[in-house]
Amino acid sequence: MNGAVIKGYEEDVGKRTSVYVHTAHSITDSLIAFQEYGYKSAPHDKGIKYVLIPEGLRDFQWLQGLYKGEKVSSGEYQDIK
């Protein structure tokens, strides 16, 4: 979930991600927040399912921009593509 670091913990958590649960904030800010713990990116395993937990209007704006391939025109994620 969010910026989970699995390197070094594979015996406990496994080596494959099937479902990745996140908020717009966590998927965009996890790289900065968890970099010191070895987090490099959201997982990109084949067949992975991403589950967005919306937190408010900002998540709708982010998702709409992502879906349309456009920069977000307002709010916290303004100009992020």
Side-chain angles (χ1 to χ4, degrees):
M1 170 133 183
N2 297 335
V5 177
I6 62 169
K7 187 170 184 173
Y9 301 97
E10 296 88 350
E11 193 171 308
D12 298 318
V13 300
K15 297 180 182 180
R16 180 175 59 94
T17 300
S18 301
V19 178
Y20 188 77
V21 179
H22 64 90
T23 64
H25 177 76
S26 69
I27 204 165
T28 57
D29 288 352
S30 288
L31 181 59
I32 296 166
F34 301 117
Q35 186 174 17
E36 67 182 284
Y37 302 107
Y39 181 81
K40 296 183 191 300
S41 72
H44 297 93
D45 300 340
K46 184 177 179 178
I48 192 169
K49 304 295 185 219
Y50 292 87
V51 178
L52 171 67
I53 305 296
E55 293 183 291
L57 182 58
R58 71 177 184 182
D59 289 4
F60 173 75
Q61 292 167 332
W62 176 79
L63 189 57
Q64 187 176 32
L66 183 67
Y67 179 73
K68 292 181 175 180
E70 300 173 349
K71 288 187 176 183
V72 177
S73 60
S74 65
E76 185 175 337
Y77 298 110
Q78 185 173 350
D79 296 329
I80 294 177
K81 183 175 181 185

